[in-house]
């Protein structure tokens, strides 16, 4: 069950908020539609509910706000737009990665593939999917953790009729199993066909909260479209016959030779035209969409219309005499919304025809007026529900609450006061505000190492980068050997003295930057958030995988260069240097350091390009700066510092460990090693700082 209270978005400069004090319920086992035209605030309301956008209000999912749920993906499945996955990843690989993120068995991916009808597309790339298949995959992704609630933003938009039927059938099946389904749409007919309850938004406010049956009766009116050159004569005849038979029929001229007849059938109108010899060019059944704002109107608009026509005095007199409000059948199971009484306050236009049941009115072109079954005429701008008293499922209205006073209190009423039925409670709570909504990061994967492995191996980017690095390294090594004057160590690493970093280090840095860069470009962990969870478990997994990838790339590079040099120039240039242990440690440390710099920089700056730039900045900017500071003028120098450290820390180490620690210190003392250590320390501190900052917010 979803309970939304007082959802209000932050104002946009001088414009009013896109969503203003929206409260509604979506019950379990039912499908609820959030209806509104483009710009009505549907998407903003959903984003506020899911804590994807800052604002005010509170939303409970089965009694708990989203940020109080340990694993939100297991409670709420979200389908917002297209699937935010890497276009080169396969359908099955993407679902397996989400299984690792949700902490469910990997066989769940095959189960949702079968339920979504995507078995034949399991090896298809995400970028090659059609619109309908992409929506099926999006629903499958939302169902991977088996959530209780589904929240979808215009799920059937731009889909074919067949795909739309399948999608709504899947949503209906989820609700039939006891789940809660909430979807937004701009099509009233789609809402009437596929929802059990319809909440209508207009300009960021709720204008109707109805059961689907009531919505269809009051907002989707069946009519007969007639086109005849004798429109005025046919309208008069239909009106006369309906009055004689005491049937509720409304005839509305629509200009020229067109008529819209409400409350009749094609057969009746055709017989009337045949008996009177009237030529008919068109006769068809239609469903007249009265638009998102054609239902109940706010009390302020009713009050203005009532004051202009003298109805305010009549309403006040009826309330003073103790006359009860006109009854209206309430639908079972509808949520209680006292504000429906204020939105649907009785008001009629001055000079309107108010007749008994069965009266038929022939209106000239202008504002439409509908004839309800009780015989009371209503303006089409208000909708039939606007003059029938309390809406379905609404509570008791305050007995002596003036319409203008109600409209003023409605504008300042907080979300908590909506659940109260007395004017005193409204005034007491008018000084409070809904709690603020903060954008919170999604939780990290429940299996971070498995998730990172599936993320890295699910696309061919890593393999392509590795192949390019090996090829460039081999060609560079051959060219350097031919030119000569290159030390053996640099020759095996394919590292020219004029280049700040070897190809292997650049490749490792690029792969490290992609570890977080792809998360921000294709946020599979937090759909449509634009942020990536900053958790130490996920960071550790990325550092471990990137380090292993860098070590493998460094070893393959040296091995490939050695074999190529042996092939071209013999075994003389393929021999290992005398101090190969220290050189190997420095080589591996350089490559791993570049990979980690890419990971941390991309995580801090949220960009792959920024991560790679940070890797290149180490030898280009940081190393010269460190050398300049270290070689600058000073009164004292740290002469003999390595020997004193060795005497203090490396006196007794088991199994000769002091030798390895000394080599590590020597590498750190080098300009490149010191700069790399400084960069890694700075990036790690920046990452931790942004993590703590996001948690505090």
């Amino acid at each position: 069950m979803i309970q939304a209270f007082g959802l209000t978005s932050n104002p946009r400069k001088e414009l009013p908020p896109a969503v203003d004090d929206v409260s509604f319920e979506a019950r379990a086992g039912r499908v609820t539609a959030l209806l509104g035209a483009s710009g009505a605030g549907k998407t903003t309301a959903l984003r506020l509910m899911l804590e994807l956008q800052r604002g005010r209000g509170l939303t409970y999912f089965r009694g708990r706000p989203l940020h109080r749920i340990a694993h939100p993906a297991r409670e709420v499945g979200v389908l917002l737009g297209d699937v935010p996955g890497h276009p080169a990843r396969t359908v099955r690989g993407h679902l397996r990665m989400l299984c690792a993120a949700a902490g469910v068995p990997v066989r769940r991916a095959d189960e949702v593939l079968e339920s979504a009808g995507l078995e034949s597309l399991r090896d298809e790339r995400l970028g090659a999917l059609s619109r309908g298949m992409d929506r099926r995959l999006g629903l499958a992704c939302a169902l991977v953790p088996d959530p209780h609630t589904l929240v979808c933003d215009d799920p059937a938009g731009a889909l074919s009729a067949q795909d739309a039927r399948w999608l709504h059938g899947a949503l209906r099946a989820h609700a039939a199993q006891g789940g809660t389904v909430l979807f937004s749409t701009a099509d009233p007919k789609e809402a009437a066909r596929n929802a059990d309850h319809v909440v209508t938004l207009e300009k960021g406010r709720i204008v109707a909260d109805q059961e689907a049956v009531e919505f269809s009766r009051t907002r989707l009116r069946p009519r007969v479209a007639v086109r005849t050159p004798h429109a005025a004569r046919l309208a008069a005849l239909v009106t006369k016959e309906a009055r004689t038979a005491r049937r509720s029929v409304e005839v509305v001229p629509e200009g020229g030779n067109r008529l819209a007849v409400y409350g009749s059938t094609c057969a009746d109108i055709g017989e009337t035209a045949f008996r009177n010899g009237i030529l008919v060019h068109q006769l068809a059944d239609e469903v007249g969409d009265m638009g998102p704002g054609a239902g109940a109107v706010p009390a302020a608009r009713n009050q203005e219309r009532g004051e202009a026509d003298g109805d305010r005095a009549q309403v006040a007199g009826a309330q003073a005499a103790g006359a009860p409000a006109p009854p209206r059948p309430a639908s079972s199971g509808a949520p209680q919304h006292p504000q429906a009484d204020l939105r649907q306050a009785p008001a009629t236009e001055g000079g309107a025809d108010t007749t008994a049941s069965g009266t038929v009115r022939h209106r000239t072109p202008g504002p439409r007026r509908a004839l309800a079954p009780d015989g009371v005429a209503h303006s089409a701008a208000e909708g039939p529900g606007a003059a029938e008293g309390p809406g379905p499922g609404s509570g008791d209205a305050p007995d002596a609450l003036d319409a203008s006073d109600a409209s003023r209190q409605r504008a300042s009423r907080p979300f908590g006061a909506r659940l109260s039925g007395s004017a005193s409670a409204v005034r007491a709570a008018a000084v409070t505000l809904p709690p603020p909504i903060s954008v919170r990061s999604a939780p990290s994967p429940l299996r971070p190492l498995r998730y990172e492995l599936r993320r890295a191996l699910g696309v061919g980017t890593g393999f392509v980068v590795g192949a390019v690095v090996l090829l460039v390294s081999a060609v560079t090594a051959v060219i350097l050997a031919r030119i000569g004057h290159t030390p053996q160590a640099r020759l095996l690493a394919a590292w020219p003295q004029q280049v700040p970093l070897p190809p292997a280090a650049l490749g490792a840095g690029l792969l490290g930057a992609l570890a977080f860069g792809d998360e921000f470009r294709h946020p599979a962990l937090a759909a449509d958030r634009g942020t990536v969870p900053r958790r130490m478990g996920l960071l550790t997994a990325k550092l471990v995988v990137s380090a292993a990838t860098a070590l493998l790339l460094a070893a393959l590079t040296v091995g490939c260069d050695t074999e190529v040099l042996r092939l071209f120039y013999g075994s003389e240039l393929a021999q290992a240097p005398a101090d190969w242990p220290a050189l190997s440690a420095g080589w591996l440390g350089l490559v791993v350091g570049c990979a980690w710099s890419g990971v941390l920089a991309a995580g801090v700056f949220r960009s792959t390009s920024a991560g790679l730039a940070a890797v290149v900045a180490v030898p280009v900017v940081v190393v010269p700066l460190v050398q300049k500071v270290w070689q600058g003028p000073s009164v004292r120098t740290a002469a003999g510092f390595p020997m004193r450290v060795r005497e203090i820390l490396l006196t007794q180490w088991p199994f000769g460990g002091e030798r390895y620690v000394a080599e590590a210190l020597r590498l750190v003392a080098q300009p490149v090693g010191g700069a790399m250590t400084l960069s890694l320390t700075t990036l790690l501190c920046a990452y931790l700082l942004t993590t703590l900052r996001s948690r505090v917010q």
Side-chain angles (χ1 to χ4, degrees), residues 265-617:
T265 63
C266 289
D268 293 340
I269 298 175
E271 291 177 0
T272 301
F274 179 77
R275 286 195 304 268
N276 295 275
I278 297 178
L279 177 64
V280 176
H281 292 164
Q282 180 188 12
L283 190 63
D285 288 320
E286 292 183 353
V287 177
D289 178 13
M290 297 174 63
V297 295
R301 289 164 59 186
N302 281 334
Q303 173 63 18
E304 293 173 0
R305 187 176 292 111
E307 288 180 349
D309 299 325
D311 289 336
R312 181 174 180 273
Q314 299 178 5
V315 175
Q319 291 180 349
R328 182 174 182 176
S331 302
S332 60
Q336 301 296 321
H337 286 281
Q339 70 272 23
D341 298 337
L342 302 182
R343 291 196 311 267
Q344 302 180 12
T348 57
E349 294 191 23
D353 299 333
T354 304
T355 60
S357 178
T359 302
V360 181
R361 296 168 296 104
H362 176 209
R363 304 288 299 181
T364 58
R368 284 190 189 174
R369 305 179 61 80
L371 187 64
D374 56 1
V376 181
H378 311 289
S379 171
E382 300 171 351
E388 292 181 0
S394 62
D396 298 332
D399 293 334
L401 189 60
D402 185 83
S404 60
D405 189 22
S407 63
R408 289 193 298 269
Q409 293 182 7
R410 173 66 178 83
S412 61
R413 179 182 295 189
F415 78 98
R418 285 176 161 267
L419 304 181
S420 173
S422 62
S424 59
V426 174
R427 296 188 183 94
V431 296
T432 64
L433 289 174
I437 299 175
S438 300
V439 178
R440 296 175 175 85
S441 299
S444 62
L446 298 183
R447 303 291 185 269
L449 186 59
R450 190 176 71 177
Y451 167 83
E452 181 60 22
L453 286 173
R454 295 193 180 279
R455 185 207 62 78
L457 299 177
V459 295
T461 305
F463 301 101
V464 173
V465 171
V468 172
V469 166
L470 294 179
L471 179 60
V472 173
S473 298
V475 173
T476 304
V478 171
I479 295 176
L480 291 177
R482 182 177 180 83
I483 296 175
H485 308 292
T486 302
Q488 184 69 13
R490 283 183 170 265
L491 187 61
L492 294 178
W495 188 359
Q497 296 181 356
Q498 297 80 10
V499 179
L501 284 176
L506 287 175
L510 176 59
L511 293 178
L514 287 172
F516 261 127
D518 282 348
E519 297 279 14
F520 289 107
R521 291 184 60 194
H522 313 287
L525 293 180
D528 203 41
R529 294 194 180 206
T531 60
V532 173
R534 302 176 181 274
R535 299 291 193 272
M536 295 309 299
L538 181 61
L539 175 62
T540 304
K542 290 185 179 297
L543 292 177
V544 169
V545 173
S546 63
T549 305
L551 291 175
L552 179 61
L553 186 61
L556 290 177
T557 299
V558 173
C560 182
D561 294 346
T562 302
E563 292 299 324
V564 170
L565 291 175
R566 179 180 290 110
L567 177 64
F568 275 83
Y569 303 107
S571 59
E572 296 180 359
L573 296 179
Q575 295 179 357
D579 55 343
W580 66 269
L583 293 175
S584 299
W587 168 245
L588 297 178
L590 175 64
V591 177
V592 172
C594 289
W596 284 357
S597 297
V599 171
L600 294 173
V604 171
F605 300 107
R606 303 185 179 185
S607 171
T608 302
S609 302
L612 186 59
V615 173
V616 178

Side-chain angles (χ1 to χ4, degrees), residues 241-267:
E241 292 185 0
R243 183 181 295 112
T244 303
R246 301 188 63 81
R247 290 187 291 109
S248 297
V249 176
E250 179 187 6
V251 181
V252 179
E254 293 188 340
N257 57 357
R258 294 182 59 87
L259 297 174
V261 183
Y262 296 89
S264 185
T265 63
C266 289

Side-chain angles (χ1 to χ4, degrees), residues 64-136:
R64 294 178 297 171
L66 194 63
H67 61 272
R68 295 294 184 183
I69 301 176
H71 303 296
R74 294 185 173 182
E75 177 64 31
V76 183
V78 180
L79 176 57
L80 301 177
D82 298 333
V83 176
H86 196 289
R89 185 170 282 114
T90 63
V91 171
R92 190 181 186 189
H94 184 74
L95 290 175
R96 284 173 172 261
M97 185 183 68
L98 294 182
C99 287
V104 298
V106 71
R107 64 175 180 273
R108 177 67 177 168
D110 297 326
E111 294 176 359
V112 296
L113 273 176
E114 183 179 357
S115 63
L118 297 174
E119 305 96 326
S120 60
L121 301 177
R122 63 179 61 195
D123 296 326
E124 193 75 18
R125 305 291 178 180
L126 298 187
L129 294 179
S130 64
R131 178 75 172 178
M133 294 301 104
D134 184 85
R135 285 304 174 91
R136 291 196 182 205

Side-chain angles (χ1 to χ4, degrees), residues 184-195:
S184 67
T185 180
D187 186 0
K189 300 176 185 178
E190 178 185 357
R193 285 193 301 263
N194 303 292

Side-chain angles (χ1 to χ4, degrees), residues 28-31 170-181 196:
R30 311 183 71 192
V31 178
L171 297 180
R172 173 63 62 185
H174 184 80
Q177 296 176 359
T180 304
V181 176
D196 302 313

